[in-house]
């Protein structure tokens, strides 16, 4: 059964009355739009909840007496309080940070008052949310489908809270991050002792034994807190959520008294207590949870609920630690209810007469904790398969694109599905959580250095077999034949994957798309530009000596590279304009020229450049150019400056301006021979350049997911963005264009595999035109929905947009590709 927020209002309890005139004067002076001399001003109290007393302020001005505005006031309870309890100041702090900087659904806060002379205690005033609150976790009166959606929304809203970067919103000092459970066990143990015994309610000896068990079984992950630490709500449960009056979406998370930084799995377990015990206060014959009383149709099981959370929060399955987290949550609940019951005996419990049952509830929770501890098994070893796809119409952040089955695209092999699954998990567990750290370093004074975690993730990717996945089968075969890899390649557990997983271009497309969802991901898997294109050149055209000197360290990820072709003084989209000279002098070539937009050259790991220049200015137009390998430490190579792309310098990767002044390079460094630069470029422009299109599909998918998430949480002009007609139309159009582009890219990759680069060039050209333009449209729409945040560095959208726009030039201007498409069309017409 759901109650509207207004249904919970009652007259103010005598013990909680305060000076209304003083409050009115304060609100008029500190809340924007609050009338100083209202035509109506009344105060009522919310009759639900056992923590800080909460009141509704109703006010109307003389100018519009029929328009009543509502505000919510939340204060400390009167009387003597336990140390550190009822900190409304902390509630205000976290609500303000979340409301201003994130999309987590919370009421807007207006002001905090620590002057106890106003109404006797500290308090704050916030937005009133009219919506539904579900008191009965069985959700009677709702269809099974709606029950399922509500529980999924509960799990995903908690995940959205847990993904907040506390450092970026000013909550980095909101609490200690390490040893959260250890400290909480001690804190709530002391709170229990302070609420029981010695003239207070009776003390349960089983509770004291429970403290001992918890101390001895704290998970190892709690000590460092690195993987599980973040913002913790502390009392997250379905009846502390306000749902939209009509739609099954969370519009507000309430009751932040216990919020802090700490182990977020404690939040998850506490939200799942309803499966073990019914914590609703009242005179009940049984306090059995849903697992014992029977789960109503549509409501997911505990395992299914947990799977939805882990998927949305990108968290590993907590099979080993779950027993502790549930026992701890039951213990903490018991301590809280013991405190509620103690306050009831003193006459100042905010929940009224319902609080009289809190003492009994505390003992029920203690018994439930011991029953749970003695279970042989509490979770399966792996989460259930297919939970998220059963009837789901939503899209989840762990996999922004539709499943393979839903796409209707044939999957070449089971191997691709397994690699895709591993790659998604790697992104969830390691890439997304580290993006903030990588960006912070890239924007600091040390931005031209490499984050140590990046190298650690590269080693992990190697171990997982997610390394060099881009390498085409034919190129890998040539390298193996030339090198006899066991003789030249380093040893290691990942050695067998050094030349990739034996994938076709089409198969790699399913994986490359996933990497494109993050600016940082491709390089972690050694699948980033320009290294892939340069390695492809060496794989296809390099001599054995060139492969040993440069390809192997590139394949191993020990060095990086750059491709120097574009020149500032000529239109480099027509490579015949290139002016950089390669002049043969005995056993050396002397290089003179100026290049720019040499991506990757700023990276401290960049050791080699592939330079395109002219060896014979008098030869036929397409025989003048050659490519040569240049060590960046060769005298005369001067990296002048990084260039900015829409304000981004892409540190530590960078896009460099370089001058070559009488640079002497051995003749053996020439690739394939003089005058073969165009031939190499045409081979390189196939698979390597199609990778950009694949990644842009992923970038657009991330933009779509961020758009949908934002639209389902932000309200404008009285409605959610998702309820605005123009939004719905634009969202649908973006989805149509994205799916069209995806199919075109996959078709190009398939033709590349079956027909070769030359015969596939028309479809490749179409993909290169359509995909960046599609990504720009989707990301522009995402930025528009995000408002000012979409233009800032607080989201990844602006950076993704800048990258997409750049590729309309860097991947060959649209005009060149359109010319190719048109010429092929005309040629077909003549046949």
């Amino acid at each position: 059964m759901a109650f509207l927020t207004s249904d919970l209002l009652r007259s103010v309890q005598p013990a909680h009355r305060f000076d209304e005139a003083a409050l009115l004067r304060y609100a008029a002076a500190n809340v924007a739009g609050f009338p100083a001399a209202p035509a109506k001003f009344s105060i009522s109290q919310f009759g639900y909840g056992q923590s800080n007393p909460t009141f509704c302020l109703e006010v109307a001005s003389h100018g519009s007496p029929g328009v009543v505005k509502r505000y919510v006031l939340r204060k400390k309870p009167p009387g003597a309080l336990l140390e550190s309890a009822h900190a409304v100041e902390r509630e205000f702090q976290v609500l303000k940070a979340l409301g201003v900087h994130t999309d987590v659904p919370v009421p807007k806060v207006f002001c905090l008052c620590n002057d106890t002379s106003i109404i006797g205690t500290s308090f704050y005033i916030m937005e009133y949310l009219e919506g539904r609150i579900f008191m009965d976790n069985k959700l009677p009166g709702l269809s099974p489908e709606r029950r399922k959606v509500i529980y999924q929304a509960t799990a995903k809203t908690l995940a959205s809270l847990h993904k907040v970067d506390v450092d970026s919103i000013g909550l980095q000092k909101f609490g200690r991050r390490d040893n959260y459970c250890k400290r909480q066990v001690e804190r709530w143990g002391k709170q229990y002792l302070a609420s029981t015994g010695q003239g207070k309610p009776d003390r349960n000896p089983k509770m004291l034994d429970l403290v001992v068990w918890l101390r001895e079984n704290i998970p190892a992950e709690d000590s460092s807190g690195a993987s599980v630490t973040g913002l913790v709500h502390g009392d997250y449960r379905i009846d502390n959520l306000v749902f939209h009056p009509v739609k099954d979406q969370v519009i507000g998370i309430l009751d932040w008294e216990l919020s802090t930084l700490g182990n977020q799995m404690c939040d998850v377990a506490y939200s799942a207590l309803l499966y073990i015990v019914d914590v609703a206060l009242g005179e009940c014959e049984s306090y059995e949870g849903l697992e014992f009383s029977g789960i109503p149709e549509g409501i997911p099981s505990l395992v299914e609920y947990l799977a939805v959370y882990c998927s949305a929060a990108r968290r590993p399955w907590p099979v080993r630690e779950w027993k502790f987290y549930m026992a701890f949550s039951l213990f903490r609940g018991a301590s809280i209810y013991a405190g509620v019951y103690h306050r009831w005996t003193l006459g100042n419990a905010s929940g009224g007469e319902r609080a009289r049952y809190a003492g009994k509830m505390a003992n029920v929770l203690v018994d439930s904790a011991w029953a749970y501890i003695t279970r042989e098994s509490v979770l399966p070893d792996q989460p259930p398969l297919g939970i998220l796809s059963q009837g789901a119409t939503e899209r989840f952040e762990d996999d922004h694109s539709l499943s393979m089955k839903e796409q209707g695209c044939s999957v070449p092999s089971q191997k691709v599905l397994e690699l895709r699954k591993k790659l998604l998990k790697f992104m969830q567990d390691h890439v997304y959580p580290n993006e903030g750290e990588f960006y912070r370093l890239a924007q600091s004074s040390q931005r031209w250095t490499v984050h140590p975690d990046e190298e650690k993730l590269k080693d992990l990717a190697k171990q997982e077999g997610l390394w060099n996945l881009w390498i085409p089968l034919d190129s890998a075969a040539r390298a193996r034949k030339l090198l006899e890899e066991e003789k030249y390649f380093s040893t290691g557990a990942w050695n067998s994957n050094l030349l990739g997983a034996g994938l076709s271009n089409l198969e790699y497309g399913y994986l490359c798309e996933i990497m494109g969802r993050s600016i940082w991901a491709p390089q972690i898997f050694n699948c980033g530009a320009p290294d892939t294109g340069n390695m492809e050149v060496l794989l296809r055209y390099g001599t054995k000596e060139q492969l040993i000197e440069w390809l192997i360290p590139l394949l191993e990820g020990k060095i990086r590279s750059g491709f120097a072709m574009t020149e500032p003084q000529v239109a480099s989209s027509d490579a015949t304009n290139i002016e950089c000279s390669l002049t043969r002098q005995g056993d050396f070539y002397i290089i003179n020229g100026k290049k720019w937009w040499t991506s990757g050259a700023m990276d401290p790991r960049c050791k080699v450049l592939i330079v395109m220049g002219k060896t014979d200015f008098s030869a036929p137009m397409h025989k003048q150019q050659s490519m040569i390998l240049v060590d960046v430490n060769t005298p005369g190579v001067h990296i002048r400056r990084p260039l900015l792309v829409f304000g981004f310098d892409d540190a530590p990767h960078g896009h460099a301006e370089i001058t070559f002044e009488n640079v002497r390079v051995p003749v053996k460094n020439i690739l394939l021979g003089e005058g073969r630069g165009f031939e190499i470029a045409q081979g390189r422009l196939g698979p390597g350049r199609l990778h950009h299109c694949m990644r842009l599909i992923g970038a657009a998918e991330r933009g779509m997911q961020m758009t949908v998430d934002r639209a389902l949480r932000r309200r404008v002009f009285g409605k959610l963005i998702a309820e605005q007609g123009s939004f719905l139309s634009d969202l649908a159009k973006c989805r149509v264009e994205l799916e069209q582009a995806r199919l075109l890219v996959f078709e190009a990759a398939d033709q590349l595999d079956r027909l070769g680069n030359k015969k596939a060039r028309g479809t490749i050209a179409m993909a290169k035109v359509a995909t960046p333009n599609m990504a720009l449209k989707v990301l522009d729409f995402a930025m528009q929905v995000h408002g000012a945040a979409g233009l800032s560095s607080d989201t990844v959208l602006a950076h993704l947009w800048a990258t997409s726009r750049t590729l309309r030039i860097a991947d060959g201007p649209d005009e060149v590709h359109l010319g190719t498409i048109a010429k092929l069309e005309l040629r077909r017409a003549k046949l």
Side-chain angles (χ1 to χ4, degrees):
M1 180 177 181
F3 290 87
L4 288 176
T5 314
S6 53
D7 293 336
L8 303 176
L9 294 174
R10 304 289 185 269
S11 299
V12 177
Q13 298 178 32
H16 293 158
R17 290 174 181 162
F18 47 78
D19 188 341
E20 295 185 9
L23 174 63
L24 177 59
R25 290 191 296 270
Y26 178 86
N30 292 275
V31 178
F34 202 102
K40 174 186 176 182
F41 179 60
S42 63
I43 301 176
S44 52
Q45 185 170 3
F46 287 96
Y48 184 75
Q50 307 302 317
S51 187
N52 292 324
T54 308
F55 306 84
C56 177
L57 315 181
E58 295 186 89
V59 61
S61 64
H62 286 285
S64 302
V67 179
V68 177
K69 291 185 177 180
R70 285 175 168 173
Y71 302 85
V72 174
L73 180 146
R74 191 162 162 87
K75 67 186 289 293
K76 292 185 178 183
L81 303 176
L82 295 175
E83 184 181 357
S84 76
H86 309 283
V88 295
E89 301 86 355
R90 287 175 59 81
E91 289 188 37
F92 179 85
Q93 181 185 1
V94 68
L95 285 169
K96 183 176 181 180
L98 291 172
V100 172
H101 299 293
T102 78
D103 293 331
V104 176
V106 294
K108 178 182 179 180
V109 292
F110 299 110
C111 60
L112 170 69
C113 178
N114 285 315
D115 184 352
T116 57
S117 68
I118 306 297
I119 61 171
T121 67
S122 298
F123 67 91
Y124 65 92
I125 298 175
M126 61 180 164
E127 176 186 15
Y128 174 91
L129 297 176
E130 180 67 11
R132 294 172 296 159
I133 297 179
F134 293 97
M135 305 298 187
D136 189 338
N137 52 44
K138 294 182 179 180
L139 306 181
L142 294 183
S143 67
E145 292 77 13
R146 296 191 70 186
R147 290 172 183 159
K148 180 177 182 178
V149 172
I150 286 171
Y151 268 76
Q152 287 182 336
T154 301
K156 290 189 287 182
T157 300
L158 181 59
S160 72
L161 170 64
H162 286 176
K163 289 188 289 186
V164 169
D165 181 354
V166 293
D167 294 319
S168 68
I169 66 171
L171 292 180
Q172 61 269 33
K173 296 182 179 179
F174 198 59
R176 283 180 55 185
R177 307 189 190 206
D178 61 327
N179 294 308
Y180 173 79
C181 292
K182 180 179 180 180
R183 290 183 285 105
Q184 286 282 298
V185 168
E186 299 307 317
R187 173 192 173 184
W188 290 108
K190 291 178 181 178
Q191 296 281 51
Y192 181 79
L193 294 176
S195 301
T196 58
Q198 299 179 347
K200 301 170 185 175
D202 292 338
R203 189 171 291 165
N204 186 342
K206 291 182 181 179
M207 181 69 161
L208 306 183
D209 295 336
L210 184 55
V211 173
V212 175
W213 185 90
L214 291 168
R215 286 171 178 162
E216 294 174 349
N217 289 276
I218 294 173
E221 66 185 10
D222 188 68
S223 60
S224 66
S227 62
V228 294
T229 293
L231 187 58
V232 174
H233 180 272
D235 194 15
Y236 190 89
R237 57 182 196 256
I238 198 168
D239 56 332
N240 268 337
L241 303 179
V242 181
F243 282 79
H244 187 278
V246 178
K247 298 180 180 296
D248 298 326
Q249 299 163 358
V250 179
I251 61 172
I253 306 174
L254 307 179
D255 202 349
W256 291 82
E257 179 191 347
L258 301 177
S259 60
T260 185
L261 300 187
N263 190 320
Q264 294 175 326
M265 291 308 297
C266 295
D267 252 1
V268 185
Y270 192 76
S271 75
L273 283 184
L274 56 90
Y275 290 97
I276 308 303
V277 62
D278 185 352
V279 296
L281 289 181
E283 186 61 55
C284 302
E285 294 183 6
S286 172
Y287 290 94
E288 292 180 336
L290 296 181
E291 284 193 345
F292 304 96
S293 63
I295 300 177
E297 185 182 0
I299 293 179
S301 66
L302 186 152
V303 172
E304 292 168 338
Y305 172 82
L306 184 59
V308 173
Y309 167 83
C310 289
S311 176
R314 310 184 188 114
R315 285 283 168 81
W317 189 242
V319 60
R320 291 185 300 274
E321 304 88 4
W322 188 247
K323 183 178 287 187
F324 170 87
Y325 288 127
M326 286 298 289
F328 167 76
S329 295
L330 290 160
F331 152 78
R332 197 191 64 159
S335 180
I336 291 172
Y337 279 115
V340 170
Y341 184 62
H342 178 221
R343 291 200 301 278
W344 178 80
T345 63
L346 299 176
N348 63 357
S350 62
E353 281 302 300
R354 293 172 60 255
R356 68 185 300 175
Y357 302 105
K360 180 180 180 181
M361 190 69 244
N363 291 327
V364 167
L365 291 173
V366 174
D367 291 340
S368 298
W370 279 112
Y372 204 78
I373 288 169
T374 56
R375 286 191 188 184
E376 183 175 344
S377 174
V378 294
L379 285 182
D381 291 338
Q382 298 293 331
L385 296 176
I387 290 299
L388 299 185
S389 62
Q390 294 175 2
T393 57
E394 302 104 334
R395 307 173 77 81
F396 295 88
E397 285 188 322
D398 66 314
D399 184 0
H400 301 321
S401 64
L402 294 172
S403 69
M404 295 297 179
K405 187 174 181 181
E406 289 170 318
Q407 284 184 45
C409 299
S410 60
V411 179
S413 67
Q414 184 63 30
K415 177 171 70 173
V416 175
L417 286 175
E418 292 300 322
L419 285 170
R420 188 173 182 273
K421 181 179 178 181
K422 289 174 65 176
L423 185 59
L424 281 168
K425 189 175 189 306
F426 195 101
M427 295 283 287
Q428 296 158 11
D429 293 348
H430 305 294
V431 177
Y432 297 131
N434 280 290
E435 282 183 323
E437 284 295 315
F438 294 156
Y439 270 114
R440 273 188 284 276
L441 178 63
Q443 294 167 3
S444 72
S445 59
Q446 301 296 313
R447 61 183 173 277
W448 298 109
T449 61
V450 179
H451 198 291
D453 286 350
E454 182 181 323
E455 295 301 315
K456 293 177 183 177
L457 291 183
K458 286 167 65 175
D459 288 338
L460 185 58
K462 295 171 187 175
Q463 296 168 17
E464 292 285 330
L466 299 173
W467 190 254
N468 288 336
L469 296 172
W470 61 273
I471 299 179
L473 282 165
D474 55 346
S475 299
R478 179 179 183 271
R480 286 192 177 94
K481 184 176 180 180
L482 280 176
L483 293 174
E484 301 173 354
E485 62 178 337
E486 69 276 7
K487 180 177 180 180
Y488 293 104
F489 287 33
S490 300
T491 59
W494 51 274
N495 186 52
S496 60
N497 294 309
L498 196 60
L499 285 171
L503 303 178
S504 66
N505 287 290
L506 175 59
E507 289 173 322
Y508 177 60
Y510 291 106
L511 308 176
C512 188
E513 172 187 331
I514 296 168
M515 299 179 201
R517 299 174 186 178
S518 171
I519 295 291
W520 304 94
Q523 61 206 47
I524 289 170
F525 305 103
N526 215 36
C527 292
D531 294 319
T532 53
N534 291 340
M535 285 188 276
E536 194 172 357
V537 166
L538 289 165
L539 283 164
R540 291 175 180 269
Y541 308 111
T543 65
K544 184 175 182 178
E545 291 71 22
Q546 291 167 350
L547 269 59
I548 294 170
E549 183 174 4
W550 300 114
L551 177 64
I552 291 176
L554 280 169
L555 289 171
E556 292 177 329
K558 293 180 179 178
I559 66 172
R560 297 203 67 180
S561 62
F563 185 74
M565 185 189 79
T566 307
E567 297 179 3
Q569 66 273 18
V570 297
S572 303
S573 57
D574 178 0
T576 62
N577 290 333
I578 296 299
E579 294 180 350
C580 179
S581 64
L582 309 179
T583 305
R584 176 78 178 261
Q585 288 187 4
D587 293 333
F588 292 89
Y589 284 99
I590 309 301
I591 306 176
N592 282 284
K594 184 177 183 179
K595 300 286 187 178
W596 69 344
W597 299 111
T598 304
S599 297
M602 298 296 302
D603 195 306
R605 297 163 294 187
C606 182
K607 301 302 179 186
V608 63
L609 304 172
I610 295 181
V611 179
M612 188 164 180
K614 287 187 176 179
T615 44
D616 187 349
F617 284 75
S618 62
M621 184 179 296
H622 292 89
K623 296 292 184 181
Q624 298 177 5
Q625 296 77 15
S626 302
M627 290 190 188
I628 193 167
L629 295 160
V630 179
D631 188 321
V632 295
N633 294 316
T634 305
V637 177
H638 302 291
I639 299 177
R640 298 296 184 184
R641 59 172 177 140
L643 302 170
L644 302 182
V645 182
F646 293 105
F648 295 98
D649 60 15
D650 290 324
H653 183 64
H655 313 280
E657 180 181 289
I658 306 176
T659 57
F660 298 86
E661 299 174 1
N662 296 316
V663 178
R664 290 169 58 85
V665 180
V667 168
K668 65 183 180 72
N669 283 21
I670 200 79
L671 284 161
L672 203 58
E674 287 191 14
R676 316 241 349 229
F678 260 91
E679 180 182 344
I680 296 171
Q682 291 307 304
R684 181 185 188 273
L685 290 179
R689 286 296 180 89
L690 194 57
H691 296 171
H692 283 315
C693 296
M694 296 172 179
R695 284 190 287 266
L696 284 175
I697 298 295
E701 281 289 2
R702 189 168 189 187
M704 287 288 285
Q705 181 60 45
M706 292 175 67
T707 299
V708 171
D709 288 348
R710 178 85 167 189
L712 289 173
R713 293 174 183 164
R714 282 295 173 105
R715 304 176 67 83
V716 292
F717 305 113
K719 294 195 298 184
L720 290 171
I721 295 175
E723 297 173 315
Q724 308 289 339
S726 60
F727 169 83
L728 295 173
S729 175
D730 290 342
L731 180 69
K733 291 175 182 177
C734 285
R735 173 51 61 191
V736 169
E737 293 197 22
L738 199 159
E739 296 302 331
Q740 289 174 334
R742 175 185 277 118
L743 291 173
L744 183 57
V745 170
F746 283 172
E747 173 63 19
D750 184 50
Q751 289 188 17
L752 195 57
D753 291 325
R754 293 184 296 105
L755 307 176
N757 185 17
K758 185 175 182 180
K759 290 186 178 180
R761 67 187 186 278
T763 309
I764 293 173
M766 286 187 275
K768 287 181 176 182
V769 172
T771 313
N773 282 282
M774 175 280 298
L776 282 172
K777 180 176 179 178
V778 172
L779 293 168
D780 184 81
F781 175 51
M783 290 191 291
Q784 191 74 9
V785 171
H786 280 73
L791 309 180
S792 73
S793 59
D794 287 358
T795 73
V796 72
L797 293 173
H799 203 168
L800 291 174
W801 186 93
T803 300
S804 303
R805 182 61 185 85
T806 303
L807 289 176
R808 289 187 59 206
I809 296 176
D811 206 13
D814 286 3
E815 293 77 7
V816 173
H817 300 313
L818 290 169
T820 298
I821 298 165
K823 289 174 184 177
L824 289 171
E825 195 68 20
L826 292 171
R827 186 178 303 169
R828 277 193 292 268
K830 294 177 180 179
L831 294 177

